[in-house]
Amino acid sequence: MSLSRSESRQKEKAQRDNRRRRAFSLSLIAAGSIILLTGVGITVNQTGLTDWFGGGAKSGSGQTADGSNRNDADAGGAGSIAVTETPDAGEATPAPEPTDNGDASPPSSMPEEEPVDGEAEERVSLSFVGDMLPGEYIADIMAQNGYDFPYQKALLYLSEPDLMVGNLELPITTRGTPVEGTPYVYKGSPETLPAMRDAGFDVMSLANNHALDQGLEGMRDTMKHLTDAGIGFMGVGENDKEAFAPLIRETKGVKVAFIGVSEVIPFAGMKADSNVPGIAETYETTRAVASIKSATDEADIVVVMVHWGEDGKDTPENYQKNMARAYIDAGADLVIGSHPHVLQGFERYKGKWIAYSLGNFVYASNPSGAHGETGVLDAVCGPEGDCELKFNPMQVIQSQPTPLEGDLAVALLSRLSSISIGAEVRSDGSIVQQ
């Protein structure tokens, strides 16, 4: 599977962060110098400036006045104007980029990454959305406005994380034979994928009840087109070994494993088995648990994407709770649900987070009521799998997930808090255990 485009996008993000850090560092140094020199009321010549900033120490020595080392991510000493680019691995959290109005703190969808034990611990940002249906109900809108149209209002939230993940709710194919005996059968064009990739999406789960809407031919085409677009996938395969295999992505030196499973499969013959192509199922947890345990040996963080629940119901069924806890007991660090087409709440179990359903994201043009409530879930995670969560509330308007502000945002977050289990969703979107 080609990773070149995804890896290139990660490199571009890192380079952008480095540029932000350098510009902000120079601004701070210049401002600090003016303040210090103004405060002491002196005129400093070149020799005096050298003495002021370190008693003749070499520029870029990286040492404090007492000789101790600075953070490795700082390439220059306190008096150094030349700031070299930091390495991608082990970077400290980037400084905010100044906005057009001079404010050095642009809006960010991510929870703040805090240092651990006095040092900047490497943490990765993962973001998730619910069901993605780039076709069918919004095909005409995309044909008129472009395939990137659904992502335009939410682009900041999609392009910012290290890894952006969703649930692809339809086959991507120009061929296939529509399955019979189910009420809804979908199909999407391969032309939709470049816009999805360029919006920021890195990974798609295919473990859902629509993966075989166009038969095995449609499933295989989907796998091929995603690969060609540089988008990773999991949850289907030529046999159960492939379908349950984790997709592993590495970012900032941290390996993240994604496992896709579905408790909603129209026909038993669609379940992947030994020498049988199809979908990774979780009607019971044996094979999912085995996959999770295996993934813990390969990755630092394990994410389970699961398709489950009752359509239109905003609270999880008991079996969802039991399965989620079984996944975490097996080693999962995050459990992210889809299928009900509405938002469900959150739960923290043994220090790990469960998002029972993230609702619809790119799905219909103007879904009504709870079906139009959506958002982007951010998780900033350490290599030990400890994650901080934040939900960015949105409403789908003309097929575009549109960020909510003010009272509308607070109202949606408050409702999510009321349906969560032992967890509170605060007015800023942060999710904490009660």
Side-chain angles (χ1 to χ4, degrees), residues 362-401:
V362 170
Y363 204 89
S365 57
N366 287 292
S368 61
H371 287 82
E373 296 175 342
T374 187
V376 177
L377 177 66
D378 298 329
V380 173
C381 305
E384 299 301 319
D386 55 308
C387 300
E388 297 177 6
L389 265 56
K390 179 180 180 182
F391 186 78
N392 304 284
M394 302 179 185
Q395 178 77 30
V396 178
I397 302 172
Q398 276 297 103
S399 81
Q400 292 179 313

Side-chain angles (χ1 to χ4, degrees), residues 21-357:
R21 185 182 302 106
R22 288 197 298 275
F24 191 61
S25 297
L26 289 172
S27 299
L28 288 178
I29 291 170
S33 299
I34 293 170
I35 292 170
L36 287 171
L37 296 178
T38 302
V40 298
I42 60 174
T43 301
V44 183
N45 59 22
Q46 184 175 4
T47 303
L49 187 62
T50 302
D51 293 340
W52 179 267
F53 281 118
K58 292 182 179 179
S59 173
S61 65
Q63 291 187 336
T64 61
D66 62 1
S68 60
N69 289 331
R70 299 185 185 277
N71 190 302
D72 290 341
D74 184 1
S80 172
I81 299 301
V83 180
T84 59
E85 182 164 329
T86 60
D88 290 344
E91 285 184 356
T93 304
E97 180 183 29
T99 58
D100 293 340
N101 62 6
D103 181 3
S105 300
S108 174
S109 67
M110 294 293 157
E112 293 186 5
E113 302 178 17
E114 298 182 356
V116 176
D117 295 331
E119 297 184 359
E121 181 194 37
E122 196 61 81
R123 297 174 74 80
V124 298
S125 55
L126 314 175
S127 292
F128 304 88
V129 299
D131 294 329
M132 300 278 291
L133 194 81
E136 299 299 335
Y137 305 132
I138 62 171
D140 292 342
I141 292 176
M142 290 191 297
Q144 182 177 351
N145 298 285
Y147 291 113
D148 65 334
F149 183 74
Y151 313 109
Q152 291 175 0
K153 297 291 181 66
L155 196 58
L156 168 66
Y157 302 90
L158 305 179
S159 60
E160 192 174 51
D162 296 317
L163 293 171
M164 185 71 229
V165 190
N167 171 66
L168 187 60
E169 189 82 347
L170 83 175
I172 300 295
T173 181
T174 58
R175 309 182 301 167
T177 302
V179 66
E180 296 181 355
T182 62
Y184 304 103
V185 178
Y186 299 137
K187 185 187 226 178
S189 168
E191 294 180 356
T192 65
L193 295 184
M196 181 186 295
R197 175 201 63 217
D198 293 343
F201 284 97
D202 301 286
V203 177
M204 284 286 152
S205 176
L206 304 183
N208 57 62
N209 52 307
H210 292 287
L212 269 73
D213 275 7
Q214 301 297 324
L216 290 175
E217 187 175 44
M219 182 193 82
R220 288 168 177 146
D221 282 354
T222 305
M223 297 161 70
K224 178 184 183 300
H225 292 312
L226 286 170
T227 299
D228 291 344
I231 301 175
F233 63 86
M234 69 287 181
V236 299
E238 293 297 330
N239 50 53
D240 56 348
K241 183 177 180 179
E242 288 187 10
F244 284 93
L247 172 74
I248 297 180
R249 286 286 185 264
E250 183 170 353
T251 178
K252 297 180 178 177
V254 178
K255 291 184 178 181
V256 185
F258 297 94
I259 296 169
V261 292
S262 180
E263 193 273 340
V264 188
I265 298 177
F267 304 106
M270 294 180 174
K271 298 178 183 179
D273 210 334
S274 178
N275 300 317
V276 177
I279 306 164
E281 58 83 21
T282 187
Y283 281 91
E284 52 84 43
T285 61
T286 302
R287 290 194 286 186
V289 162
S291 178
I292 294 166
K293 288 181 177 178
S294 176
T296 60
D297 294 330
E298 303 178 65
D300 303 295
I301 300 169
V302 177
V303 180
V304 177
M305 304 282 289
V306 55
H307 213 60
W308 58 7
E310 184 177 336
D311 192 354
K313 187 173 180 180
D314 64 6
T315 54
E317 303 292 312
N318 285 333
Y319 81 82
Q320 291 175 254
K321 301 174 190 177
N322 294 336
M323 284 184 174
R325 293 165 186 173
Y327 301 152
I328 290 172
D329 288 339
D333 299 297
L334 281 170
V335 178
I336 308 294
S338 58
H339 180 65
H341 299 297
V342 296
L343 294 170
Q344 294 184 348
F346 305 94
E347 181 181 13
R348 189 171 174 87
Y349 171 75
K350 293 186 177 179
K352 308 298 182 180
W353 283 107
I354 305 159
Y356 281 106
S357 172

